[in-house]
């Protein structure tokens, strides 16, 4: 029994100054968390109770599929992460340090490398496989701008699991077992989430992260072959995803696709023509000028925008330029590009970068000098919306000049296609063609096929039945435990406070004793003791000298799903039963209150 007179808890009446999201405000005000430093929080008894219940559900479901729990060190040697490439890929996101002997270590941002090394040290035969190991512990990432409480922190609790197999069938079975287990986990805690297709790049590194996006979940699966994410829809989420109400297709912003336009007809097209277009460095000014040239109605969608980016491989010093073509009514989505290019740094090129390339005329870049075999050596990629045979108005590679009727594969070639244009509501679904919708969410979990990436890096093999080495393949899985607690608070709170689903609430029943009458406190104590004896977790507000209004506000703020109020009604032999989630209230005889509450808890 947790008595509020002795519980380590102080609720706050005012929102913390740095709290932007409802989950952050309420977890702080209700005494679940306390800030230690930017991105670092202490979990107080009530917060730890919620966290522990979520972890218990994860353990039950992991154990049910045959996974085994291990505990790995937070302080990890550099060589493991250097071997996998993660040291270079993650760069400034790592908490790196040296010991007194100048050996390099880091606070682990994930544990795939340590798990791989662990399995290599213990297993040698194909008979040892498959095996799945998991852990639930803190991980660390040096976020550039930590915010939103534990939704985006520098220290966070994560469940991570790796399955090791020696056959494609075994790997597929392990993946599906985890997928089903994750669905059960999120259903049990009562959070609304969707499974969406995802990309596998180390996207924090790829975007040169400026603090946007959900890196807590991303970096742990760098280099994967395929991936899915579990996203909790909420307007407060940092991830964007596209979904189709008709066929159910869903993908995050990194992996989202737009239904491809048809290849343009082979009908004879006019030859490209160059026009004088002074002072038209933007799409808006270009459209205005062309509509005054008498060549027909022109919109931004008729123009081809060529955006110059610079990229750098992990661990390298030099940058190279990349030009991406998208329809002029679209922006280049750096998240989509980064998700496809993999573990690289990616930034918009600045004026100096462009000026250093004589072939590029800022504001008037055209693809006619780019593409396969072009002497500039600059790679040119286009979004699939720039379909083969399509004609465009685009730069003529000379100051103050643009060209019309510039046709792909006739007047310019490309080095490849890449999903780069922003995905918008109403775009056609790539599966069924129906309009897509765009929503925001918080990434809760991730499934990723790693293949033999880590096994090769660590020399992990198994001796087959013929005595020859057999390749070991891996899948990686993760749930952001602490962020899922915050996401659940974000989804379920109301204007009075937190409102937990019963599976993870810090207690089953919150008993509030009001007034000064000793009989009230004696009756409340008996109810609490009887409920506890029946296996019910109880918070009992036994504070003396605290007004009923303050006690009620605290009960609503803390968010336990069932509340029993013992007060003035006791003189008539009754107590009040409240449902925190619906605010439904009813009286019950004090003698049957425990039985009625037990019946309610069993429903």
């Amino acid at each position: 029994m947790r008595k509020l007179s002795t519980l380590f808890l102080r609720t706050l009446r005012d929102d913390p100054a740095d709290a932007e999201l409802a989950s952050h405000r309420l977890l702080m005000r209700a005494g679940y968390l306390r800030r230690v430093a930017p991105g670092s929080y202490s979990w107080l008894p009530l917060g730890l109770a919620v966290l522990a219940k979520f972890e218990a559900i994860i353990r039950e479901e992991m154990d049910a599929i045959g996974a085994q729990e291990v505990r790995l060190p937070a302080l990890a040697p550099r060589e493991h992460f250097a071997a996998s490439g993660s040291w270079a890929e993650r760069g400034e996101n790592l908490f790196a340090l040296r010991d007194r002997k100048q050996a390099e270590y880091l606070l682990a941002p994930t544990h795939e490398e340590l798990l791989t090394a662990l399995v290599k040290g213990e297993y040698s035969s194909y008979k040892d496989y498959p095996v799945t190991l998991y852990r639930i512990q803190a991980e660390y990432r040096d976020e550039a701008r930590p915010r939103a409480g534990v939704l985006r922190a520098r220290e966070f609790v994560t469940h991570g699991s790796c399955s090791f197999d020696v056959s494609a069938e075994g790997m597929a079975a392990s993946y599906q077992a985890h997928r089903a287990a994750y669905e059960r986990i999120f259903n049990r805690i009562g959070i609304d989430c969707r499974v969406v297709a995802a990309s596998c790049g180390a996207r924090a590194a790829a975007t040169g992260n400026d603090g946007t996006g959900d890196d807590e979940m991303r970096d742990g699966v760098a280099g994967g072959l395929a991936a899915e994410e579990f996203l909790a829809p909420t307007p407060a989420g940092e991830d964007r995803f596209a979904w189709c109400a008709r066929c159910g297709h869903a993908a995050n912003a990194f992996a989202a696709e737009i239904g491809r336009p048809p290849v343009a007809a082979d009908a004879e097209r006019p030859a490209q023509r160059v026009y004088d277009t002074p002072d038209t460095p933007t799409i808006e000014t270009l459209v205005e000028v062309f509509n005054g040239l008498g060549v027909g109605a022109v919109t931004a969608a008729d123009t081809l925008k060529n955006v110059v980016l610079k990229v750098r491989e992990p661990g390298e010093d030099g940058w190279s330029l990349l030009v991406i073509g998208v329809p002029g009514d679209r922006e280049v989505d750096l998240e989509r590009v980064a998700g496809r290019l993999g573990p690289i740094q990616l930034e918009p090129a600045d004026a100096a970068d462009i000026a250093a390339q004589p072939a590029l005329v800022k504001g008037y870049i055209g693809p006619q000098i780019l593409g396969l075999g072009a002497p500039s050596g600059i790679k040119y990629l286009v979004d699939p919306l720039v379909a083969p045979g399509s004609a465009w108005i685009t730069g003529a590679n000379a100051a103050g000049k643009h060209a019309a009727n510039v046709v792909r594969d006739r007047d310019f070639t490309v080095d490849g296609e890449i999903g780069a244009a922003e995905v918008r509501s109403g775009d056609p679904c790539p599966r069924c063609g129906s309009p897509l919708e765009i929503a925001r969410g918080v990434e809760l979990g991730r499934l990723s096929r790693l293949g033999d990436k880590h096994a090769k890096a660590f020399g992990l093999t198994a001796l087959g039945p013929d005595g020859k080495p057999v390749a070991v393949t891996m899948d990686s899985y993760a749930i952001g435990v602490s962020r899922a607690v915050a996401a659940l608070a974000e989804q379920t709170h109301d204007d009075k406070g937190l409102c937990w689903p019963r599976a993870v609430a810090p207690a089953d029943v919150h008993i509030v004793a009001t007034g000064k009458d000793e009989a009230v406190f004696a009756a409340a104590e008996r109810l609490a003791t009887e409920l506890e004896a029946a296996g019910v977790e109880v918070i009992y507000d036994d504070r003396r000298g605290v007004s009923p209004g303050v006690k009620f506000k605290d009960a609503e703020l803390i968010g336990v799903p069932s509340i029993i109020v013992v007060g003035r009604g006791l003189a008539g032999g009754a107590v009040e039963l409240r449902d925190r989630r619906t605010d439904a209230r009813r009286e019950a005889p004090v003698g049957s209150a425990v039985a009625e509450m037990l019946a309610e808890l069993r429903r």
Side-chain angles (χ1 to χ4, degrees), residues 74-108:
L75 191 63
R78 178 188 191 276
E79 55 262 29
H80 289 304
F81 291 83
S84 68
S86 295
W87 187 277
E89 289 172 7
R90 292 184 172 88
E92 295 181 351
N93 287 333
L94 294 177
F95 280 110
L97 64 151
R98 295 174 184 266
D99 68 8
R100 66 185 66 197
K101 297 180 180 179
Q102 297 305 302
E104 292 183 282
Y105 289 84
L106 77 163
L107 292 176

Side-chain angles (χ1 to χ4, degrees), residues 275-333:
Y275 292 85
D276 289 322
T277 55
D279 301 320
T280 56
T282 67
I283 296 297
E284 293 75 14
T285 55
L286 177 63
V287 169
E288 182 179 355
V289 167
F290 259 87
N291 278 322
L293 292 176
V295 296
V298 172
T299 70
D302 300 314
T303 67
L304 178 61
K305 180 191 299 183
N306 298 293
V307 178
V308 186
L309 306 175
K310 58 182 182 181
V311 298
R312 181 166 62 186
E313 296 292 333
E316 295 187 0
D317 295 328
W319 295 84
S320 60
L321 295 188
L322 167 68
V323 179
I324 294 183
V326 297
D329 63 334
R330 306 260 181 168
E331 298 297 329
V332 170
D333 188 333

Side-chain angles (χ1 to χ4, degrees), residues 167-452:
S167 69
E169 295 79 11
M171 186 171 69
S174 296
Y175 187 96
Q176 291 303 322
H178 275 81
R179 193 181 195 276
Y182 277 23
E183 289 178 339
R184 291 192 297 271
I185 288 167
F186 292 124
N187 284 336
R188 286 180 64 180
I189 69 169
I191 196 165
D192 174 28
C193 65
R194 295 183 184 176
V195 183
V196 305
S199 60
C200 295
R203 294 168 290 180
T207 55
N209 196 306
D210 64 352
T212 59
D214 284 331
D215 304 335
E216 176 178 323
M217 300 299 301
R218 274 175 202 152
D219 289 349
V221 290
L225 305 175
E228 292 178 295
E229 290 175 351
F230 288 77
L231 290 182
T234 171
E238 290 183 318
D239 269 350
R240 292 180 297 113
F241 67 97
W243 66 285
C244 175
R246 180 181 178 186
C247 71
H249 168 71
N252 70 9
F254 297 86
E257 298 288 350
I258 304 170
R260 289 172 173 262
V263 175
D266 292 330
E268 188 70 24
R269 292 183 179 276
Q272 66 170 304
R273 177 181 173 184
V274 176
Y275 292 85
D276 289 322
T277 55
D279 301 320
T280 56
T282 67
I283 296 297
E284 293 75 14
T285 55
L286 177 63
V287 169
E288 182 179 355
V289 167
F290 259 87
N291 278 322
L293 292 176
V295 296
V298 172
T299 70
D302 300 314
T303 67
L304 178 61
K305 180 191 299 183
N306 298 293
V307 178
V308 186
L309 306 175
K310 58 182 182 181
V311 298
R312 181 166 62 186
E313 296 292 333
E316 295 187 0
D317 295 328
W319 295 84
S320 60
L321 295 188
L322 167 68
V323 179
I324 294 183
V326 297
D329 63 334
R330 306 260 181 168
E331 298 297 329
V332 170
D333 188 333
L334 292 183
E335 292 184 341
R336 290 189 76 204
V337 175
R340 286 156 173 77
L341 292 182
I344 63 170
Q345 287 181 277
L346 174 68
E347 297 177 6
D350 56 30
D353 298 320
I354 297 174
Q357 291 288 335
L360 301 180
V361 181
K362 184 173 171 36
Y364 299 91
I365 298 172
Q368 300 90 318
I369 59 167
L370 301 170
L372 290 169
S376 69
I378 300 172
K379 182 174 287 187
Y380 183 60
L381 305 176
V382 296
D383 187 272
L385 294 176
V386 184
S390 55
W392 303 90
I393 296 170
T394 190
N397 301 299
K401 294 184 182 295
H402 281 84
N405 296 316
V406 180
V407 178
R408 177 181 166 180
D409 297 336
R410 185 193 72 179
D411 301 315
F412 69 93
T413 57
V414 302
D415 292 300
E417 293 185 349
I418 184 171
E422 60 178 345
V423 182
R424 302 188 300 212
S425 292
D427 282 335
C429 171
R431 288 186 180 175
C432 70
S434 298
L436 292 172
E437 298 182 37
I438 306 297
R440 304 197 74 86
V442 172
E443 185 181 344
L444 304 179
R446 187 172 176 87
L447 314 170
S448 183
R449 290 275 170 86
L450 293 182
D452 61 1

Side-chain angles (χ1 to χ4, degrees), residues 67-192:
Q68 302 173 67
E69 185 173 9
V70 296
R71 173 72 59 164
L72 300 170
L75 191 63
R78 178 188 191 276
E79 55 262 29
H80 289 304
F81 291 83
S84 68
S86 295
W87 187 277
E89 289 172 7
R90 292 184 172 88
E92 295 181 351
N93 287 333
L94 294 177
F95 280 110
L97 64 151
R98 295 174 184 266
D99 68 8
R100 66 185 66 197
K101 297 180 180 179
Q102 297 305 302
E104 292 183 282
Y105 289 84
L106 77 163
L107 292 176
T110 184
H111 286 88
E112 279 85 354
E113 287 84 355
L114 297 184
L115 286 172
T116 307
L118 183 62
V119 171
K120 180 186 177 183
E122 302 298 320
Y123 281 175
S124 59
S125 169
Y126 77 97
K127 296 178 181 179
D128 297 323
Y129 296 92
V131 64
T132 298
L133 302 178
Y134 76 93
R135 75 286 184 289
I136 302 174
Q137 58 192 100
E139 295 180 349
Y140 305 86
R141 195 146 307 129
D142 191 4
E143 293 283 358
R145 289 200 301 269
R147 59 187 182 275
V150 292
L151 270 179
R152 188 170 183 78
R154 286 176 167 168
E155 178 179 346
F156 41 88
V157 180
T158 301
H159 152 75
S161 178
C162 281
S163 59
F164 299 81
D165 294 281
V166 291
S167 69
E169 295 79 11
M171 186 171 69
S174 296
Y175 187 96
Q176 291 303 322
H178 275 81
R179 193 181 195 276
Y182 277 23
E183 289 178 339
R184 291 192 297 271
I185 288 167
F186 292 124
N187 284 336
R188 286 180 64 180
I189 69 169
I191 196 165
D192 174 28

